[in-house]
Amino acid sequence: MSIDLSQFFDVFFEESFEGLDVMEAELLNLQPGHEDSETINTIFRAAHSIKGGSGTFGFTSVANFTHVLETLLDQIRDGRRQLTAEHVNLLLQSVDCLRALLTALQAEETPDLSNANDLKVKFEVILGGEESASSDTVDNAPQGRESQTYQVDFKPLPHLFKTGNEPLYMLSELSELGDLETHAFCDAIPEIDDFNPEDCYLSWRLYLTTSQPESAIKEIFEWVEDDAEISVTLCGGLFEDDVSASATPEPEFDKEKTTGKETQNIDVTKAPLAAKAKPETSKKSAESTSIRVGIDKVDSLINMVGELVITQAMLTQLGEQEPTENTLAAMQEGLAQLAHNTRDLQENVMRIRMLPISFVFSRFPRLVRDTSQKLNKQVELKLLGEQTELDKTVMEKISDPMVHLVRNSLDHGLETPEDRIRAGKDPVGTVTLNAFHQGGNIVIEIMDDGRGLNTEKIKNKAIANGLIQATDELTTEEVNELIFRPGFSTADEVSDISGRGVGMDVVRRNIQALNGSVEVTSAKGVGSTFTIRLPLTLAILDGQLVKVAKHTYIIPLISIVESLQIQIKKVSKVGNGLEVLRLRDEYIPILRLYQLFNHDGAIEELDKTLLVVVESDNHKVGLLVDDLLAQQQVVIKSLEANYQKVNGISGATILGDGRVSLIVDISGLIKLSGLKRPGTQELLVEQELDEAVS
Amino acid sequence: MITEKASINEQVILADRDGDTQFLTFMMAGEEYGMDILAVQEIRGWEEVTAIPNSPQYVNGAINLRGTIVPVIDLRVRFGLPQIDYGALTVVIVVSVVIKEATKIMGLVVDAVSDVYSIDEETAKDVPDFQDSENSQFVQGLVNVGEKMVVLLNLKKILDLEVKHSEQLVVGG
């Protein structure tokens, strides 16, 4: 019987990655010297199921590597070995390594085993000594590794059959590990009158010659541990005589005295290879697109659909009746109920995509641990609001910017323990991640109790970079804002942690791409707080409907700074007919939407139109529209799916009357207008303005 | 529109099913064109569309097809035929075609739908001598149905917006 195992691959990988996450989280909880046996057990179980799964699916490289890991964990669990910080580090590295192996296998690539092999060597050094022989199974090649003979005494308790276990299967499984010689003891079988066919009266002494470790043998008997007496011992050395000659079983079965004193004679045969690697399927496994949903969410959806059906039935019934005052009122009531049901249903469908933010938060303990070690800083990480839910897509995209901000806090924000003591602070710095809902948004705060932003330094740097003039009077907030400008880093030197060419500007851009915003508050010597605000989902946005000629467009509310009527005298032309509005002390380029979108019939006189000032990538531009219409939440639909990418348009939506309306993409619009100088982040207008002024 | 649809459905059922390919035909500038009926999702009357900025002239705009945004293409403009005012018979044939591994749903505006034929594709003659015309790429073949000639269309080419149309007529009136 052959089953196509590849259909289970997705589940295996999903579970394995979950297992690795569990291992990582629990390893971080481990305090060498004060380890909790339950924690070790959890780690062991996770490793064990990864090993089992990868063995089943033929990923031998993973199975073999996990095996060494497991051996060490097993020894720690049994108290045979003391856990050290070194072990934890090594285990953490192994988790990374396994993750890389599994990722490669999932993508159906050949995994790079060099790292795994290096780590294996380290494990073997630790395991060393007498254990090394039994644990040295990582190298899967049968030659060059010695087979050993184990004596296994297996005496099931009479009730074994009732637990659904069958010794025959265990024996046949054992025989797959190597050469097996079995001796059954039948002396416990009672007289026929006393014989109970449901009891097990047999016991065995087994001699197994195998290159597999002792743990592989134990594993087979794992399920019957409580229902049998089992002992596995290594027979001393290799023997010369013939097996059959000396295989005289002892009449008494004494499991206590089984050490290699009975010299048996067994051919040293090569153990069969562990399950051969299954040929990889050619099917490309795409990025994980499945989602695990709590059954309660599904239940509530089913309830809601039930309600909806009832309401619909009621409305149908009303529709069939003679129209009277009463039916009309009932109909209106029914429609209100329908609206209510629909809204509930919408909210709950959205909730399916929502996952607790702990999925993102959970990667930070590791990051903080590694980074603080590198920086020689003592850091405590606090996680708050881990159960706050966020759309899966948003979650995937927010984690990179968050990593950057946390690294930044550790590197720039927190002081060294010495500096902290000098400043009268606890030598252990605190980084807090906090998530909560506010309005229709999720707010994520990254707080540190470090030195705060150095406004003087930022200002000087900004002046040096020509971002501001030395004479500019800026408020603290405005100065702090400067760190989000391109090419800005306050780190004096490029370190391993920051200064890798990714700046705060990229963080801000990534967050803005999610229709979110990020801002910073800081107090000198007290710490800084980065606040990220994100929409709960990418499927819905708050939009401002505007009229351009006879067309209705939607501008994302989050990018709108203000809307105003234009005073002609404040508009000047620079360069190639580019109009610029002087707004307070800023120059705002005016983009005539009807021109960019090639629509006829729009109002062209500036003073009869409205200007919607929007901001994108730190650039403000004004969009000229005929009129402002309503504001409303819109469901984002893809225009690309059936059509193609349209410059300046990010998607479409359907308005209340069923018409399609397009959503304006501000940064795409700036590109479309040719305002941006190619290859830079600068707006052309800034250069033009300089020329115009001089 | 409703009667129009009903009559088409009727003909689909009446058409024989001996393995021949069935084609839906429609009229445009006096010519009868046909397309594989399996590509046709539905037929709708003309409705207002939302303009898509900077789109090619033959793209009328986008409509809402039960929650999906569907672009609508004017086949006359795509073929370089003179435009006419849309009237009561103007229909949008919604088709779904796999283009570059993605299934795209699009609407085609034509003058009026005409008939459903079962045609043995073998009998479809190769495109005659207008190979020099760029529009010939939109034509899959020509068939005779009784006295009439029907132009079978290559939807994949027509809906692939990267394929440029020409100003010439496909088949002279």
mmCIF file of all heavy atoms in Angstrom, chain B residues 94-132:
data_model
loop_
_atom_site.group_PDB
_atom_site.id
_atom_site.type_symbol
_atom_site.label_atom_id
_atom_site.label_comp_id
_atom_site.label_asym_id
_atom_site.label_seq_id
_atom_site.Cartn_x
_atom_site.Cartn_y
_atom_site.Cartn_z
ATOM 1 N N VAL B 94 -19.455 38.848 -21.090
ATOM 2 C CA VAL B 94 -18.413 38.667 -20.064
ATOM 3 C C VAL B 94 -17.731 37.327 -20.317
ATOM 4 O O VAL B 94 -18.379 36.278 -20.347
ATOM 5 C CB VAL B 94 -19.014 38.712 -18.646
ATOM 6 C CG1 VAL B 94 -17.937 38.484 -17.608
ATOM 7 C CG2 VAL B 94 -19.713 40.045 -18.413
ATOM 8 N N VAL B 95 -16.449 37.372 -20.554
ATOM 9 C CA VAL B 95 -15.704 36.153 -20.855
ATOM 10 C C VAL B 95 -14.599 35.947 -19.827
ATOM 11 O O VAL B 95 -14.157 36.894 -19.186
ATOM 12 C CB VAL B 95 -15.060 36.216 -22.264
ATOM 13 C CG1 VAL B 95 -16.123 36.241 -23.323
ATOM 14 C CG2 VAL B 95 -14.128 37.400 -22.382
ATOM 15 N N SER B 96 -14.213 34.711 -19.664
ATOM 16 C CA SER B 96 -13.065 34.455 -18.793
ATOM 17 C C SER B 96 -12.058 33.627 -19.569
ATOM 18 O O SER B 96 -12.389 32.604 -20.166
ATOM 19 C CB SER B 96 -13.519 33.764 -17.506
ATOM 20 O OG SER B 96 -13.234 32.414 -17.529
ATOM 21 N N VAL B 97 -10.846 34.121 -19.600
ATOM 22 C CA VAL B 97 -9.794 33.523 -20.418
ATOM 23 C C VAL B 97 -8.517 33.469 -19.598
ATOM 24 O O VAL B 97 -8.236 34.381 -18.829
ATOM 25 C CB VAL B 97 -9.564 34.369 -21.702
ATOM 26 C CG1 VAL B 97 -8.351 33.875 -22.460
ATOM 27 C CG2 VAL B 97 -10.787 34.328 -22.590
ATOM 28 N N VAL B 98 -7.772 32.394 -19.775
ATOM 29 C CA VAL B 98 -6.487 32.295 -19.075
ATOM 30 C C VAL B 98 -5.429 32.988 -19.930
ATOM 31 O O VAL B 98 -5.176 32.592 -21.058
ATOM 32 C CB VAL B 98 -6.100 30.824 -18.855
ATOM 33 C CG1 VAL B 98 -4.741 30.729 -18.174
ATOM 34 C CG2 VAL B 98 -7.158 30.123 -18.020
ATOM 35 N N ILE B 99 -4.886 34.061 -19.365
ATOM 36 C CA ILE B 99 -3.820 34.775 -20.064
ATOM 37 C C ILE B 99 -2.592 34.761 -19.177
ATOM 38 O O ILE B 99 -2.633 35.206 -18.028
ATOM 39 C CB ILE B 99 -4.230 36.239 -20.361
ATOM 40 C CG1 ILE B 99 -5.431 36.249 -21.299
ATOM 41 C CG2 ILE B 99 -3.067 36.999 -20.978
ATOM 42 C CD1 ILE B 99 -6.063 37.601 -21.447
ATOM 43 N N LYS B 100 -1.522 34.265 -19.680
ATOM 44 C CA LYS B 100 -0.257 34.185 -18.922
ATOM 45 C C LYS B 100 -0.504 33.585 -17.542
ATOM 46 O O LYS B 100 -0.176 34.157 -16.516
ATOM 47 C CB LYS B 100 0.389 35.556 -18.807
ATOM 48 C CG LYS B 100 0.897 36.033 -20.140
ATOM 49 C CD LYS B 100 1.468 37.430 -20.060
ATOM 50 C CE LYS B 100 1.786 37.931 -21.448
ATOM 51 N NZ LYS B 100 1.326 39.281 -21.688
ATOM 52 N N GLU B 101 -1.124 32.441 -17.493
ATOM 53 C CA GLU B 101 -1.342 31.651 -16.285
ATOM 54 C C GLU B 101 -2.308 32.267 -15.282
ATOM 55 O O GLU B 101 -2.499 31.743 -14.200
ATOM 56 C CB GLU B 101 -0.007 31.349 -15.576
ATOM 57 C CG GLU B 101 0.854 30.404 -16.391
ATOM 58 C CD GLU B 101 2.225 30.213 -15.793
ATOM 59 O OE1 GLU B 101 2.484 30.736 -14.696
ATOM 60 O OE2 GLU B 101 3.018 29.527 -16.425
ATOM 61 N N ALA B 102 -2.903 33.415 -15.638
ATOM 62 C CA ALA B 102 -3.885 34.005 -14.728
ATOM 63 C C ALA B 102 -5.232 34.051 -15.439
ATOM 64 O O ALA B 102 -5.304 34.382 -16.618
ATOM 65 C CB ALA B 102 -3.441 35.412 -14.337
ATOM 66 N N THR B 103 -6.267 33.687 -14.709
ATOM 67 C CA THR B 103 -7.595 33.761 -15.306
ATOM 68 C C THR B 103 -8.099 35.189 -15.196
ATOM 69 O O THR B 103 -8.162 35.749 -14.108
ATOM 70 C CB THR B 103 -8.561 32.819 -14.571
ATOM 71 O OG1 THR B 103 -7.977 31.526 -14.544
ATOM 72 C CG2 THR B 103 -9.900 32.766 -15.271
ATOM 73 N N LYS B 104 -8.394 35.764 -16.313
ATOM 74 C CA LYS B 104 -8.906 37.134 -16.308
ATOM 75 C C LYS B 104 -10.355 37.125 -16.766
ATOM 76 O O LYS B 104 -10.713 36.418 -17.711
ATOM 77 C CB LYS B 104 -8.084 38.014 -17.251
ATOM 78 C CG LYS B 104 -6.613 38.032 -16.929
ATOM 79 C CD LYS B 104 -6.125 39.435 -16.656
ATOM 80 C CE LYS B 104 -4.701 39.374 -16.145
ATOM 81 N NZ LYS B 104 -4.254 40.621 -15.583
ATOM 82 N N ILE B 105 -11.153 37.927 -16.080
ATOM 83 C CA ILE B 105 -12.547 38.080 -16.477
ATOM 84 C C ILE B 105 -12.700 39.476 -17.062
ATOM 85 O O ILE B 105 -12.318 40.456 -16.431
ATOM 86 C CB ILE B 105 -13.484 37.891 -15.266
ATOM 87 C CG1 ILE B 105 -13.276 36.498 -14.685
ATOM 88 C CG2 ILE B 105 -14.939 38.096 -15.678
ATOM 89 C CD1 ILE B 105 -13.982 36.287 -13.370
ATOM 90 N N MET B 106 -13.191 39.532 -18.262
ATOM 91 C CA MET B 106 -13.332 40.835 -18.915
ATOM 92 C C MET B 106 -14.645 40.895 -19.665
ATOM 93 O O MET B 106 -15.237 39.864 -20.002
ATOM 94 C CB MET B 106 -12.189 41.054 -19.908
ATOM 95 C CG MET B 106 -10.829 41.124 -19.251
ATOM 96 S SD MET B 106 -9.660 41.848 -20.385
ATOM 97 C CE MET B 106 -8.166 41.626 -19.480
ATOM 98 N N GLY B 107 -15.063 42.106 -19.929
ATOM 99 C CA GLY B 107 -16.285 42.298 -20.686
ATOM 100 C C GLY B 107 -15.947 42.807 -22.089
ATOM 101 O O GLY B 107 -15.031 43.590 -22.259
ATOM 102 N N LEU B 108 -16.697 42.325 -23.083
ATOM 103 C CA LEU B 108 -16.490 42.785 -24.451
ATOM 104 C C LEU B 108 -17.775 43.452 -24.928
ATOM 105 O O LEU B 108 -18.845 42.831 -24.898
ATOM 106 C CB LEU B 108 -16.171 41.613 -25.380
ATOM 107 C CG LEU B 108 -14.860 40.872 -25.133
ATOM 108 C CD1 LEU B 108 -14.815 39.625 -26.000
ATOM 109 C CD2 LEU B 108 -13.683 41.769 -25.437
ATOM 110 N N VAL B 109 -17.666 44.700 -25.358
ATOM 111 C CA VAL B 109 -18.856 45.389 -25.868
ATOM 112 C C VAL B 109 -19.002 45.088 -27.348
ATOM 113 O O VAL B 109 -18.062 45.289 -28.121
ATOM 114 C CB VAL B 109 -18.728 46.912 -25.659
ATOM 115 C CG1 VAL B 109 -20.007 47.607 -26.117
ATOM 116 C CG2 VAL B 109 -18.458 47.229 -24.209
ATOM 117 N N VAL B 110 -20.143 44.540 -27.723
ATOM 118 C CA VAL B 110 -20.399 44.278 -29.145
ATOM 119 C C VAL B 110 -21.760 44.857 -29.510
ATOM 120 O O VAL B 110 -22.551 45.218 -28.639
ATOM 121 C CB VAL B 110 -20.372 42.757 -29.446
ATOM 122 C CG1 VAL B 110 -19.018 42.169 -29.102
ATOM 123 C CG2 VAL B 110 -21.462 42.024 -28.679
ATOM 124 N N ASP B 111 -22.043 44.940 -30.800
ATOM 125 C CA ASP B 111 -23.289 45.577 -31.258
ATOM 126 C C ASP B 111 -24.511 44.790 -30.782
ATOM 127 O O ASP B 111 -25.448 45.353 -30.247
ATOM 128 C CB ASP B 111 -23.320 45.680 -32.783
ATOM 129 C CG ASP B 111 -22.273 46.659 -33.289
ATOM 130 O OD1 ASP B 111 -21.523 47.194 -32.442
ATOM 131 O OD2 ASP B 111 -22.209 46.869 -34.509
ATOM 132 N N ALA B 112 -24.473 43.453 -31.003
ATOM 133 C CA ALA B 112 -25.615 42.622 -30.610
ATOM 134 C C ALA B 112 -25.188 41.163 -30.685
ATOM 135 O O ALA B 112 -24.338 40.818 -31.502
ATOM 136 C CB ALA B 112 -26.802 42.846 -31.545
ATOM 137 N N VAL B 113 -25.767 40.342 -29.822
ATOM 138 C CA VAL B 113 -25.465 38.918 -29.958
ATOM 139 C C VAL B 113 -26.345 38.352 -31.053
ATOM 140 O O VAL B 113 -27.419 38.863 -31.343
ATOM 141 C CB VAL B 113 -25.683 38.131 -28.644
ATOM 142 C CG1 VAL B 113 -24.576 38.384 -27.675
ATOM 143 C CG2 VAL B 113 -27.029 38.406 -28.068
ATOM 144 N N SER B 114 -25.886 37.241 -31.640
ATOM 145 C CA SER B 114 -26.592 36.746 -32.803
ATOM 146 C C SER B 114 -27.089 35.322 -32.633
ATOM 147 O O SER B 114 -28.285 35.076 -32.625
ATOM 148 C CB SER B 114 -25.647 36.851 -34.006
ATOM 149 O OG SER B 114 -26.133 36.125 -35.088
ATOM 150 N N ASP B 115 -26.214 34.357 -32.467
ATOM 151 C CA ASP B 115 -26.641 32.971 -32.584
ATOM 152 C C ASP B 115 -25.661 32.068 -31.872
ATOM 153 O O ASP B 115 -24.615 32.518 -31.395
ATOM 154 C CB ASP B 115 -26.659 32.606 -34.086
ATOM 155 C CG ASP B 115 -27.797 31.658 -34.394
ATOM 156 O OD1 ASP B 115 -28.182 30.904 -33.468
ATOM 157 O OD2 ASP B 115 -28.282 31.673 -35.526
ATOM 158 N N VAL B 116 -26.025 30.789 -31.772
ATOM 159 C CA VAL B 116 -25.074 29.789 -31.275
ATOM 160 C C VAL B 116 -24.973 28.690 -32.319
ATOM 161 O O VAL B 116 -25.989 28.167 -32.764
ATOM 162 C CB VAL B 116 -25.531 29.182 -29.932
ATOM 163 C CG1 VAL B 116 -24.607 28.045 -29.523
ATOM 164 C CG2 VAL B 116 -25.575 30.246 -28.857
ATOM 165 N N TYR B 117 -23.759 28.395 -32.759
ATOM 166 C CA TYR B 117 -23.560 27.349 -33.766
ATOM 167 C C TYR B 117 -22.678 26.258 -33.202
ATOM 168 O O TYR B 117 -21.784 26.516 -32.389
ATOM 169 C CB TYR B 117 -22.831 27.913 -34.997
ATOM 170 C CG TYR B 117 -23.538 29.031 -35.678
ATOM 171 C CD1 TYR B 117 -22.923 30.264 -35.834
ATOM 172 C CD2 TYR B 117 -24.820 28.849 -36.206
ATOM 173 C CE1 TYR B 117 -23.554 31.301 -36.475
ATOM 174 C CE2 TYR B 117 -25.453 29.883 -36.846
ATOM 175 C CZ TYR B 117 -24.833 31.118 -36.986
ATOM 176 O OH TYR B 117 -25.460 32.142 -37.620
ATOM 177 N N SER B 118 -22.945 25.052 -33.660
ATOM 178 C CA SER B 118 -21.999 23.975 -33.416
ATOM 179 C C SER B 118 -21.160 23.844 -34.669
ATOM 180 O O SER B 118 -21.684 23.621 -35.746
ATOM 181 C CB SER B 118 -22.742 22.665 -33.168
ATOM 182 O OG SER B 118 -23.141 22.611 -31.842
ATOM 183 N N ILE B 119 -19.897 24.000 -34.494
ATOM 184 C CA ILE B 119 -19.026 23.997 -35.670
ATOM 185 C C ILE B 119 -17.923 22.975 -35.445
ATOM 186 O O ILE B 119 -17.296 22.933 -34.378
ATOM 187 C CB ILE B 119 -18.400 25.393 -35.898
ATOM 188 C CG1 ILE B 119 -19.511 26.416 -36.172
ATOM 189 C CG2 ILE B 119 -17.416 25.355 -37.056
ATOM 190 C CD1 ILE B 119 -19.054 27.834 -36.140
ATOM 191 N N ASP B 120 -17.723 22.153 -36.436
ATOM 192 C CA ASP B 120 -16.584 21.259 -36.400
ATOM 193 C C ASP B 120 -15.361 22.111 -36.693
ATOM 194 O O ASP B 120 -15.235 22.681 -37.780
ATOM 195 C CB ASP B 120 -16.772 20.177 -37.469
ATOM 196 C CG ASP B 120 -15.634 19.178 -37.436
ATOM 197 O OD1 ASP B 120 -14.743 19.344 -36.584
ATOM 198 O OD2 ASP B 120 -15.647 18.254 -38.257
ATOM 199 N N GLU B 121 -14.502 22.204 -35.733
ATOM 200 C CA GLU B 121 -13.377 23.131 -35.875
ATOM 201 C C GLU B 121 -12.514 22.798 -37.082
ATOM 202 O O GLU B 121 -11.820 23.662 -37.614
ATOM 203 C CB GLU B 121 -12.528 23.140 -34.599
ATOM 204 C CG GLU B 121 -12.929 24.274 -33.665
ATOM 205 C CD GLU B 121 -11.958 24.440 -32.519
ATOM 206 O OE1 GLU B 121 -11.964 23.583 -31.617
ATOM 207 O OE2 GLU B 121 -11.213 25.424 -32.552
ATOM 208 N N GLU B 122 -12.557 21.538 -37.481
ATOM 209 C CA GLU B 122 -11.769 21.115 -38.638
ATOM 210 C C GLU B 122 -12.167 21.916 -39.881
ATOM 211 O O GLU B 122 -11.344 22.178 -40.751
ATOM 212 C CB GLU B 122 -12.003 19.627 -38.915
ATOM 213 C CG GLU B 122 -11.536 18.719 -37.788
ATOM 214 C CD GLU B 122 -10.026 18.654 -37.694
ATOM 215 O OE1 GLU B 122 -9.398 18.286 -38.694
ATOM 216 O OE2 GLU B 122 -9.479 18.990 -36.627
ATOM 217 N N THR B 123 -13.449 22.247 -39.925
ATOM 218 C CA THR B 123 -13.921 22.922 -41.132
ATOM 219 C C THR B 123 -13.537 24.396 -41.155
ATOM 220 O O THR B 123 -13.682 25.049 -42.187
ATOM 221 C CB THR B 123 -15.451 22.822 -41.252
ATOM 222 O OG1 THR B 123 -16.022 23.592 -40.187
ATOM 223 C CG2 THR B 123 -15.930 21.395 -41.165
ATOM 224 N N ALA B 124 -13.069 24.880 -40.001
ATOM 225 C CA ALA B 124 -12.693 26.291 -39.963
ATOM 226 C C ALA B 124 -11.497 26.495 -40.889
ATOM 227 O O ALA B 124 -10.483 25.818 -40.767
ATOM 228 C CB ALA B 124 -12.346 26.703 -38.552
ATOM 229 N N LYS B 125 -11.663 27.382 -41.811
ATOM 230 C CA LYS B 125 -10.573 27.619 -42.764
ATOM 231 C C LYS B 125 -9.519 28.511 -42.135
ATOM 232 O O LYS B 125 -9.801 29.278 -41.225
ATOM 233 C CB LYS B 125 -11.137 28.290 -44.019
ATOM 234 C CG LYS B 125 -12.087 27.412 -44.768
ATOM 235 C CD LYS B 125 -12.383 28.009 -46.132
ATOM 236 C CE LYS B 125 -13.391 27.175 -46.886
ATOM 237 N NZ LYS B 125 -14.798 27.471 -46.518
ATOM 238 N N ASP B 126 -8.314 28.352 -42.609
ATOM 239 C CA ASP B 126 -7.251 29.215 -42.110
ATOM 240 C C ASP B 126 -7.536 30.654 -42.493
ATOM 241 O O ASP B 126 -8.269 30.925 -43.431
ATOM 242 C CB ASP B 126 -5.912 28.788 -42.717
ATOM 243 C CG ASP B 126 -5.362 27.603 -41.966
ATOM 244 O OD1 ASP B 126 -5.847 27.357 -40.842
ATOM 245 O OD2 ASP B 126 -4.483 26.927 -42.502
ATOM 246 N N VAL B 127 -6.954 31.513 -41.728
ATOM 247 C CA VAL B 127 -7.133 32.927 -41.999
ATOM 248 C C VAL B 127 -6.590 33.208 -43.399
ATOM 249 O O VAL B 127 -5.458 32.869 -43.705
ATOM 250 C CB VAL B 127 -6.365 33.762 -40.968
ATOM 251 C CG1 VAL B 127 -6.654 35.226 -41.169
ATOM 252 C CG2 VAL B 127 -6.733 33.309 -39.569
ATOM 253 N N PRO B 128 -7.410 33.793 -44.256
ATOM 254 C CA PRO B 128 -6.912 34.052 -45.615
ATOM 255 C C PRO B 128 -5.887 35.167 -45.666
ATOM 256 O O PRO B 128 -5.233 35.442 -44.682
ATOM 257 C CB PRO B 128 -8.184 34.400 -46.370
ATOM 258 C CG PRO B 128 -9.146 34.860 -45.344
ATOM 259 C CD PRO B 128 -8.786 34.165 -44.081
ATOM 260 N N ASP B 129 -5.863 35.836 -46.775
ATOM 261 C CA ASP B 129 -4.700 36.611 -47.162
ATOM 262 C C ASP B 129 -4.352 37.863 -46.390
ATOM 263 O O ASP B 129 -3.492 38.596 -46.808
ATOM 264 C CB ASP B 129 -4.851 37.005 -48.643
ATOM 265 C CG ASP B 129 -4.291 35.896 -49.498
ATOM 266 O OD1 ASP B 129 -3.743 34.954 -48.898
ATOM 267 O OD2 ASP B 129 -4.416 35.982 -50.724
ATOM 268 N N PHE B 130 -5.046 38.150 -45.311
ATOM 269 C CA PHE B 130 -4.686 39.424 -44.657
ATOM 270 C C PHE B 130 -3.649 39.217 -43.566
ATOM 271 O O PHE B 130 -3.684 39.821 -42.517
ATOM 272 C CB PHE B 130 -5.904 40.196 -44.168
ATOM 273 C CG PHE B 130 -6.923 39.354 -43.468
ATOM 274 C CD1 PHE B 130 -6.731 38.938 -42.150
ATOM 275 C CD2 PHE B 130 -8.080 38.976 -44.122
ATOM 276 C CE1 PHE B 130 -7.669 38.168 -41.518
ATOM 277 C CE2 PHE B 130 -9.015 38.201 -43.480
ATOM 278 C CZ PHE B 130 -8.824 37.787 -42.179
ATOM 279 N N GLN B 131 -2.732 38.334 -43.780
ATOM 280 C CA GLN B 131 -1.681 38.080 -42.804
ATOM 281 C C GLN B 131 -0.893 39.336 -42.458
ATOM 282 O O GLN B 131 -0.326 39.436 -41.380
ATOM 283 C CB GLN B 131 -0.703 37.026 -43.331
ATOM 284 C CG GLN B 131 -1.288 35.641 -43.479
ATOM 285 C CD GLN B 131 -1.698 35.014 -42.171
ATOM 286 O OE1 GLN B 131 -1.415 35.545 -41.109
ATOM 287 N NE2 GLN B 131 -2.385 33.891 -42.248
ATOM 288 N N ASP B 132 -0.845 40.254 -43.396
ATOM 289 C CA ASP B 132 -0.088 41.476 -43.134
ATOM 290 C C ASP B 132 -0.813 42.379 -42.152
ATOM 291 O O ASP B 132 -0.222 43.219 -41.514
ATOM 292 C CB ASP B 132 0.192 42.226 -44.444
ATOM 293 C CG ASP B 132 -1.089 42.437 -45.236
ATOM 294 O OD1 ASP B 132 -1.990 41.584 -45.113
ATOM 295 O OD2 ASP B 132 -1.179 43.442 -45.954
#
